[in-house]
C-alpha cells in the first residue's frame, strides 16, 4: 500500500505561533493565572493538554468579565476591538496571539472603514475569525457567505466598498462571490486576504485526493479550514474520511485500497498526523482480517450507517459483510421514509436476525431490539410499581391507549379515574400518570392503572383535610354530583353531603333546579362522622327566626304567599324558612269547608299574626281578624 502525506499538513505559521505562545506563558507562570479567550485554536486535543498544564479557557464574554487579574491570551482567530478596550479598562495583562494575517485584516477594515467605505467580509458568520474582523469594521459592514446574502445587501449608491475574506475561505468560491458583487456596479476594491498557506494546502490536498483511492482528513470537527479540506477531498475522492484522532480511524471503512492520501487542517498537531501516518503504512489487509469479528443470530451488535434508502438502511457492523435493516424491521409505520429519520454516519445498536440472508448480507432488526429494551423498562416499572408518564394516543370504547418507549399500554375505563367517567375524550393527547398493573409481553398485554394513584392521592388529601377540619368551619367546595336528596360537594379530597333539608332556610323541592355540577359553594361544616362530612347552607347569621320577635310580632299584619294546603288549613310563607298556619276557621267570617275552596297555591294574602311561639317556631295567622276589624274602621 502507498501512503501519501501532504507536505502542507498540520500547524500553519499563525497556529504554531499561538500554541507556542500559550506554552511559553504557562512555563513561566508562578502564582498568576493564565487564561485564553476562546479556544486558542480549533483542536480540542491541544486545548485539553493546555488545560492539564494550567491554562483556563474562557469560552464566553461573561466568563471574561469575571476575570479581575492574571494574563489573558487572545486566540489565534483574533477578537473584536471592544474586547481589547474592555481588558485595557480592567488593567488586565494581555498577550496577543492573533495570527499576523488576521491582524492585517483587522487593520485593513479599520482603516477602510474610517475612510468611509462599506466593508464586505466574505466568510462564515459563525466563525470566531469572521466575528473578530466584523468587530473592527465599523457600523457599515456586512458578512456574506453565499449569493443569497449578496442580494440582501443594502448599500447607498455613493458608498465605496471594500471586500475582504476570511483567511481560510475557499479561493474559488471567493472569486465567484466577488464576480457577483462586481456586477452590482459598486465603487469597489477587492483585497484577497485568503492566507497563502491555506491556498497551498487546499491545492495540494485536491491533487492528492484526485490520485488516491482513499483520503484521510485529520482535524478538529469545529475547524473551518479542516472542514473545507474535507469538502475538497470528498469531491475528488469518494472514500474520504474525517477523523480527529487515531481512535476515530475505522480500518473497516477503508477496505482494500492501493493508495491512501493523508492531509490535516492548520490546527492539527504533528504527533496526531504521525500516528495516523504510521498506522496507515501498516498492511491494511492484515489489519482488516484481524479486525473482522464473528457474529451469531440473536447477537446485539454496534454499527455505523453507510447508506440510507427510503426502504432500507445499510450498516457497517465490523463484519466481512454489511448489515441490512429493512423498513419493516425498523418501524411498524409502513409509510415511513427511512431517509427522514436516519442519516449516514449515525451509530446504531441492532440485533442480528440472520448472519446470511441468502445474498451474503446480514439481516438486522432495530425494531425488535427496541421493543425488547422497552419491555425490560416496563417490566422494571411493573415490578417497582414506578409511576410512569405518557401521552394518550388513542381513545377507545373501553378505555385509553398510551405509548411508553414504543410499547402500547391500555388503561381500561374502570381504571382511568376514581369515579365513573362516561366521556373519555377529554384525555385525548393529554399527558397522564399511571402504574403498570399487569405485564404480559407474550400476549402483548400491558395494562395501566391510573385509578389507584388518584385513590391514594385522595386518601392523602382526606387525611390532611380531616386533620384540620372542625364542626362549624366554613369551607369552599365544588359541586361534584346532584341527586334528588341532595348534592355531593368536593372539599378537596373529601366529598361532603349537602342534604336537601340543609340547602336553604326555605323549602327546596328539587336540588337539580338549584345546583349544577361544577358550581362553587361556600358551605358550613355541620357534622363530621368518621369519613363522612355533613354540610349546610343554613348559616346562623341568615336564620330568619333569629329576629322573629321583631319581624313577626303578635298583632302585626303581614303579607305572605300560600305555599301548601291541607284540609285543616293553609301554610303561608312569610319569609324563606318561615311558614305560618292559617287555620281553615281563620280564613273568613263566612264558613269555609276547606282552604282550596277560596285559596290557591302561590296566592299572595294579607293576614294578622295572632300567635308567635319562637321556641317551637310556630306562627298562627288570621284573615278573619282583619275582616272583623273592618266595620270598626268604617265607623270611625
Amino acid at each position: 500500500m502507498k501512503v501519501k502525506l501532504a507536505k502542507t499538513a498540520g500547524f500553519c505559521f499563525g497556529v504554531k505561533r499561538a500554541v507556542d505562545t500559550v506554552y511559553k506563558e504557562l512555563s513561566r507562570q508562578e502564582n498568576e493565572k493564565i487564561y485564553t479567550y476562546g479556544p486558542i485554536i480549533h483542536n480540542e486535543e491541544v486545548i485539553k493538554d493546555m488545560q492539564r498544564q494550567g491554562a483556563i479557557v474562557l469560552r464566553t464574554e461573561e466568563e471574561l468579565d469575571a476575570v479581575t487579574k492574571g494574563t489573558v491570551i487572545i486566540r489565534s482567530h483574533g477578537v473584536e476591538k471592544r474586547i481589547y478596550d474592555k481588558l485595557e479598562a480592567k488593567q488586565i495583562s494581555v498577550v496577543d496571539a492573533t495570527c499576523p494575517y488576521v491582524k492585517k485584516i483587522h487593520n485593513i477594515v479599520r482603516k477602510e472603514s474610517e475612510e468611509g467605505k462599506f466593508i464586505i467580509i466574505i466568510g462564515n458568520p459563525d466563525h470566531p475569525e469572521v466575528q473578530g474582523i466584523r468587530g473592527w469594521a465599523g457600523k457599515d459592514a456586512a458578512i456574506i457567505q453565499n449569493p443569497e446574502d449578496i442580494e440582501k445587501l443594502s448599500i447607498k449608491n455613493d458608498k465605496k466598498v471594500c471586500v475582504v475574506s476570511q483567511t481560510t475561505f475557499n479561493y474559488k468560491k471567493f472569486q465567484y462571490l466577488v464576480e457577483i458583487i462586481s456586477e452590482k456596479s459598486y465603487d469597489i476594491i477587492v483585497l484577497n486576504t485568503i492566507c497563502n498557506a491555506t491556498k497551498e494546502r487546499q491545492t495540494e490536498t485536491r491533487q492528492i485526493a484526485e490520485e488516491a483511492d482513499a483520503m484521510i482528513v485529520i482535524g478538529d470537527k469545529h475547524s473551518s479550514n479542516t472542514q473545507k479540506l474535507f469538502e475538497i477531498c470528498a469531491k475528488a475522492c469518494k472514500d474520504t474520511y474525517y477523523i480527529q484522532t487515531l481512535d476515530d480511524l475505522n480500518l473497516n471503512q477503508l477496505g482494500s485500497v492501493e493508495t491512501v492520501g493523508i492531509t490535516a487542517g492548520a490546527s492539527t498537531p504533528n504527533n496526531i498526523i504521525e500516528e495516523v501516518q504510521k498506522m496507515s503504512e501498516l498492511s491494511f489487509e492484515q489489519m482488516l482480517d484481524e479486525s473482522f469479528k464473528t457474529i451469531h443470530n440473536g447477537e446485539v451488535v454496534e454499527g455505523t450507517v453507510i447508506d440510507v434508502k427510503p426502504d432500507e438502511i445499510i450498516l457497517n457492523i465490523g463484519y466481512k459483510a454489511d448489515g441490512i435493516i429493512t423498513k419493516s424491521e425498523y418501524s411498524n409505520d409502513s409509510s415511513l421514509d427511512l431517509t427522514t429519520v436516519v442519516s449516514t454516519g449515525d451509530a446504531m445498536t441492532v440485533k442480528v436476525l440472520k448472519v446470511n440472508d441468502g445474498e451474503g448480507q446480514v439481516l438486522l432488526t432495530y425494531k425488535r431490539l427496541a421493543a425488547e429494551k422497552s419491555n425490560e423498562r416496563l417490566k422494571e416499572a411493573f415490578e417497582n410499581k414506578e409511576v410512569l408518564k405518557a401521552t394518550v394516543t388513542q381513545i377507545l370504547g373501553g378505555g385509553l391507549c398510551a405509548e411508553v418507549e414504543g410499547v402500547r399500554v391500555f388503561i381500561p375505563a374502570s381504571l382511568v379515574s376514581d369515579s365513573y367517567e362516561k366521556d373519555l375524550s377529554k384525555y385525548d393527547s393529554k399527558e397522564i400518570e399511571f402504574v403498570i398493573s399487569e405485564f404480559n409481553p407474550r400476549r402483548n398485554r400491558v395494562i395501566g392503572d391510573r385509578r389507584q394513584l388518584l385513590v391514594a392521592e385522595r386518601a392523602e388529601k382526606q387525611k390532611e383535610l380531616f386533620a384540620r377540619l372542625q364542626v362549624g368551619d366554613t369551607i369552599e367546595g365544588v359541586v361534584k354530583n346532584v341527586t334528588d336528596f341532595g348534592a355531593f360537594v368536593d372539599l378537596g379530597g373529601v366529598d361532603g353531603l349537602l342534604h336537601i333539608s340543609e340547602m336553604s332556610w326555605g323549602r327546596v323541592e328539587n336540588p337539580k333546579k338549584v345546583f349544577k355540577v361544577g358550581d362553587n359553594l361556600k358551605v358550613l361544616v355541620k357534622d363530621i362522622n368518621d369519613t363522612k362530612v355533613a354540610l349546610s347552607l343554613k348559616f346562623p347569621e341568615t336564620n330568619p327566626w333569629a329576629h322573629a320577635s321583631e319581624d313577626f310580632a303578635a298583632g302585626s299584619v303581614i303579607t305572605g304567599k300560600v305555599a301548601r294546603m291541607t284540609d285543616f288549613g293553609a301554610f303561608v310563607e312569610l319569609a324563606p324558612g318561615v311558614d305560618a298556619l292559617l287555620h281553615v276557621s281563620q280564613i273568613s267570617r263566612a264558613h269555609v269547608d276547606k282552604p282550596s275552596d277560596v285559596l290557591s297555591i302561590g296566592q299572595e294574602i294579607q293576614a294578622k299574626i295572632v300567635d308567635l311561639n319562637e321556641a317551637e317556631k310556630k306562627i298562627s295567622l288570621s284573615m278573619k281578624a282583619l275582616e272583623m276589624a273592618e266595620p270598626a274602621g268604617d265607623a270611625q
Side-chain angles (χ1 to χ4, degrees):
M1 178 181 291
K2 181 180 179 182
V3 177
K4 189 169 184 178
L5 174 65
K7 295 177 182 178
T8 54
F11 282 170
C12 67
F13 166 75
V15 169
K16 185 176 186 306
R17 175 177 172 271
V19 171
D20 289 346
T21 298
V22 175
Y23 284 119
K24 181 179 178 181
E25 292 297 323
L26 288 171
S27 67
R28 67 186 184 191
Q29 71 169 330
E30 294 179 359
N31 295 323
E32 186 181 69
K33 291 183 178 180
I34 302 297
Y35 301 92
T36 69
Y37 181 47
I40 198 73
I41 62 171
H42 272 154
N43 190 289
E44 283 300 320
E45 300 303 316
V46 175
I47 299 305
K48 288 176 183 177
D49 184 65
M50 290 177 176
Q51 289 176 315
R52 283 192 291 268
Q53 297 192 40
I56 301 171
V57 180
L58 306 172
R59 297 184 182 272
T60 66
E61 194 167 335
E62 288 74 15
E63 292 178 355
L64 180 66
D65 290 339
V67 175
T68 56
K69 60 181 180 179
T71 297
V72 175
I73 303 174
I74 302 298
R75 61 193 174 202
S76 59
H77 299 108
V79 295
E80 303 167 56
K81 180 180 182 300
R82 62 183 185 82
I83 299 297
Y84 290 94
D85 296 339
K86 178 180 290 191
L87 291 170
E88 183 180 352
K90 296 174 68 173
Q91 297 183 339
I92 300 292
S93 177
V94 176
V95 175
D96 195 349
T98 303
C99 171
Y101 293 105
V102 176
K103 198 70 176 177
K104 180 181 177 182
I105 303 174
H106 290 178
N107 293 330
I108 290 172
V109 298
R110 176 185 57 77
K111 176 177 174 294
E112 298 296 332
S113 177
E114 289 174 353
E115 292 179 1
K117 293 186 180 67
F118 188 97
I119 308 298
I120 295 178
I121 305 162
I122 297 179
N124 181 352
D126 297 324
H127 195 280
E129 178 191 317
V130 176
Q131 293 169 352
I133 296 171
R134 177 64 184 85
W136 290 84
K139 64 177 183 178
D140 289 337
I143 301 170
I144 66 169
Q145 190 176 12
N146 49 57
E148 290 74 21
D149 295 334
I150 298 174
E151 298 303 320
K152 298 175 184 177
L153 288 175
S154 178
I155 305 174
K156 295 180 180 178
N157 293 332
D158 60 344
K159 195 81 170 177
K160 293 183 178 181
V161 177
C162 174
V163 180
V164 297
S165 171
Q166 179 181 347
T167 58
T168 57
F169 202 75
N170 183 284
Y171 181 67
K172 285 190 176 181
K173 188 174 182 181
F174 171 76
Q175 288 180 310
Y176 172 63
L177 294 176
V178 167
E179 287 178 8
I180 297 175
I181 297 170
S182 300
E183 294 173 358
K184 298 294 182 180
S185 301
Y186 297 136
D187 185 353
I188 182 174
I189 63 168
V190 178
L191 301 174
N192 179 7
T193 54
I194 296 176
C195 177
N196 287 332
T198 298
K199 287 190 287 186
E200 292 173 4
R201 189 190 307 268
Q202 292 177 355
T203 299
E204 184 187 21
T205 294
R206 185 179 295 106
Q207 292 171 349
I208 295 175
E210 288 172 350
E211 299 172 359
D213 299 314
M215 280 295 297
I216 301 172
V217 182
I218 313 168
D220 193 275
K221 297 297 183 182
H222 301 290
S223 169
S224 174
N225 71 83
T226 309
Q227 290 171 4
K228 290 180 177 63
L229 291 178
F230 176 74
E231 292 170 5
I232 291 170
C233 290
K235 288 182 180 178
C237 180
K238 179 181 177 182
D239 294 325
T240 296
Y241 305 97
Y242 194 151
I243 68 171
Q244 189 162 311
T245 67
L246 182 61
D247 293 338
D248 302 325
L249 182 59
N250 188 340
L251 300 177
N252 297 332
Q253 290 179 319
L254 291 173
S256 180
V257 297
E258 293 183 3
T259 305
V260 174
I262 300 175
T263 188
S267 299
T268 307
N270 287 336
N271 65 306
I272 295 179
I273 299 172
E274 291 169 359
E275 287 177 352
V276 174
Q277 182 185 12
K278 184 177 180 181
M279 185 64 69
S280 302
E281 289 172 346
L282 297 175
S283 170
F284 274 96
E285 287 293 342
Q286 178 185 351
M287 296 176 70
L288 285 170
D289 287 342
E290 291 175 354
S291 67
F292 282 149
K293 58 187 178 184
T294 58
I295 58 174
H296 306 281
N297 291 347
E299 184 177 346
V300 176
V301 297
E302 300 291 330
T304 302
V305 178
I306 57 176
D307 193 19
V308 187
K309 299 175 183 178
D311 57 355
E312 73 175 12
I313 303 167
I314 303 175
L315 278 83
N316 177 357
I317 56 173
Y319 185 61
K320 59 186 177 182
D322 291 332
I324 303 294
I325 304 176
T326 61
K327 184 191 296 186
S328 62
E329 288 300 333
Y330 182 87
S331 170
N332 290 324
D333 184 359
S334 59
S335 65
L336 180 66
D337 181 348
L338 295 179
T339 61
T340 64
V341 291
V342 178
S343 302
T344 300
D346 286 353
M348 295 184 68
T349 302
V350 293
K351 188 174 184 178
V352 178
L353 289 181
K354 287 185 179 180
V355 173
N356 189 334
D357 65 353
E359 296 182 3
Q361 294 174 317
V362 183
L363 187 60
L364 307 171
T365 179
Y366 174 81
K367 178 181 72 176
R368 300 188 204 188
L369 180 60
E372 288 175 9
K373 290 181 178 179
S374 297
N375 281 333
E376 284 297 319
R377 168 77 181 90
L378 289 178
K379 179 182 179 183
E380 182 181 339
F382 169 66
E383 293 173 347
N384 297 333
K385 301 186 184 304
E386 179 185 346
V387 178
L388 300 174
K389 266 186 184 179
T391 300
V392 175
T393 57
Q394 192 177 8
I395 307 294
L396 302 175
L400 311 175
C401 283
E403 193 170 288
V404 178
E405 298 187 15
V407 178
R408 179 178 177 272
V409 178
F410 178 65
I411 306 171
S414 61
L415 299 179
V416 170
S417 179
D418 58 346
S419 60
Y420 173 71
E421 291 196 60
K422 183 178 181 180
D423 183 10
L424 299 178
S425 61
K426 68 178 183 179
Y427 292 103
D428 190 22
S429 300
K430 293 288 190 300
E431 187 177 64
I432 61 172
E433 290 186 339
F434 53 88
V435 294
I436 304 297
S437 59
E438 184 179 342
F439 180 72
N440 191 337
R442 289 187 177 180
R443 294 181 57 196
N444 198 26
R445 181 177 172 85
V446 183
I447 304 298
D449 185 347
R450 181 172 178 262
R451 182 178 182 275
Q452 66 174 273
L453 298 181
L454 298 178
V455 169
E457 181 182 2
R458 176 169 284 273
E460 186 62 29
K461 288 181 178 179
Q462 284 181 351
K463 183 179 177 181
E464 293 176 4
L465 186 62
F466 278 112
R468 57 183 170 81
L469 204 61
Q470 302 289 331
V471 173
D473 286 350
T474 298
I475 188 170
E476 293 185 355
V478 179
V479 175
K480 188 176 180 180
N481 190 23
V482 184
T483 68
D484 292 336
F485 60 84
F488 289 93
V489 181
D490 184 355
L491 305 176
V494 176
D495 288 347
L497 174 61
L498 177 62
H499 194 267
I500 187 172
S501 62
E502 294 294 331
M503 290 182 173
S504 171
W505 288 104
R507 290 177 58 82
V508 174
E509 297 293 339
N510 186 348
K512 294 181 180 178
K513 292 183 179 180
V514 182
F515 302 106
K516 63 180 183 296
V517 174
D519 283 350
N520 292 305
L521 295 180
K522 184 177 286 187
V523 291
L524 177 69
V525 178
K526 184 180 179 184
D527 188 27
I528 301 174
N529 184 5
D530 294 330
T531 59
K532 297 179 181 178
V533 181
L535 306 174
S536 176
L537 286 176
K538 294 161 73 171
F539 294 94
E541 60 270 21
T542 62
N543 187 349
W545 287 94
H547 305 288
S549 60
E550 300 173 10
D551 298 338
F552 311 112
S556 59
V557 177
I558 194 165
T559 300
K561 187 179 292 184
V562 177
R564 59 191 187 281
M565 288 185 283
T566 66
D567 289 342
F568 61 83
F571 288 92
V572 179
E573 184 182 55
L574 306 183
V578 179
D579 288 352
L581 175 62
L582 175 62
H583 195 271
V584 67
S585 64
Q586 296 298 318
I587 293 175
S588 175
R589 293 173 65 182
H591 177 72
V592 176
D593 284 333
K594 55 183 183 294
S596 58
D597 290 340
V598 295
L599 299 175
S600 59
I601 301 296
Q603 178 182 347
E604 195 172 82
I605 65 167
Q606 195 173 52
K608 184 176 183 179
I609 296 176
V610 295
D611 186 45
L612 168 65
N613 187 334
E614 285 189 77
E616 297 183 11
K617 295 183 179 179
K618 291 182 179 179
I619 300 176
S620 298
L621 301 177
S622 174
M623 293 175 65
K624 184 168 71 173
L626 294 182
E627 289 180 4
M628 295 175 65
E630 285 175 4
D634 293 342
Q636 290 179 356

